[in-house]
Amino acid sequence: MKKHLPLLFAGMAVISAVSPAQAALIYQGAYNPDQSMQEYFDAAYYNYAKPIIFVFFNNDPCYNCAETVALIEQIYNQNYKNRYSFFIINYQNDQEYNFISNYNLSRPLEVVLQNVADGQAIGFRKLENLQNMTSDPLSFSDYLTTEINSFFGD
């Protein structure tokens, strides 16, 4: 017990040295109390009312994964930027949304087209092995746009 008393007194000295101005709460990218909850959700989740194009990758990327993701993002920006939401996600780091079980993810790169209606997910299509189709970017673009258009009904 005698060994712990100096530590206790040192801790109390540090606590008493902190002025009230230094003890103020600092908000770092979280909810701002000056903002209504609706404003917070609108700012944080403004695209969740649209159908979603997910590009999932894992911690073990394939040889062509980076090139494939770049092509997918380019196609999205050229054709779908204002119509659909787009997210590139490392599914192995997911602690909150259970993407692995929800979409049965297991490959280094998978694209999931998630249909959304009235804020609810109503169906999805998973596209696999896109990284094996990048040798011909034009055919890749045609294939991906056909899949997206047919699934979302464009």
Side-chain angles (χ1 to χ4, degrees):
M1 181 71 174
K2 290 183 180 181
K3 292 180 183 177
H4 298 297
L5 284 178
L7 292 174
L8 178 65
F9 289 125
M12 289 175 62
V14 169
I15 291 172
S16 64
V18 175
S19 70
Q22 292 174 332
L25 292 176
I26 298 171
Y27 296 95
Q28 299 178 355
Y31 172 67
N32 178 351
D34 297 327
Q35 189 178 40
S36 74
M37 287 300 283
Q38 187 59 48
E39 290 171 334
Y40 169 74
F41 285 123
D42 288 345
Y45 304 108
Y46 65 96
N47 280 333
Y48 287 154
K50 299 178 184 180
I52 303 168
I53 300 171
F54 287 112
V55 178
F56 291 109
F57 65 96
N58 65 19
N59 293 331
D60 234 358
C62 59
Y63 180 74
N64 289 336
C65 282
E67 178 185 359
T68 306
V69 171
L71 280 171
I72 294 168
E73 191 168 14
Q74 178 184 4
I75 292 165
Y76 169 79
N77 287 331
Q78 289 174 349
N79 301 309
Y80 304 110
K81 190 171 188 162
N82 295 320
R83 292 192 308 212
Y84 307 126
S85 298
F86 182 77
F87 300 99
I88 301 173
I89 299 172
N90 181 339
Y91 68 83
Q92 287 184 320
N93 293 339
D94 172 38
Q95 302 296 322
E96 187 175 350
Y97 296 105
N98 298 318
F99 289 125
I100 294 172
S101 61
N102 289 342
Y103 298 119
N104 193 26
L105 303 174
S106 62
R107 299 176 186 255
L109 180 69
E110 298 182 80
V111 173
V112 173
L113 308 176
Q114 176 67 65
N115 215 339
V116 176
D118 297 326
Q120 299 293 318
I122 58 171
F124 72 91
R125 178 183 294 171
K126 185 166 61 167
L127 307 176
E128 298 174 332
N129 298 318
L130 292 176
Q131 68 273 16
N132 298 330
M133 302 178 186
T134 59
S135 61
D136 182 3
L138 185 57
S139 294
F140 179 87
S141 177
D142 288 344
Y143 171 77
L144 186 60
T145 55
T146 299
E147 290 293 319
I148 292 171
N149 293 342
S150 69
F151 182 72
F152 291 134
D154 289 339

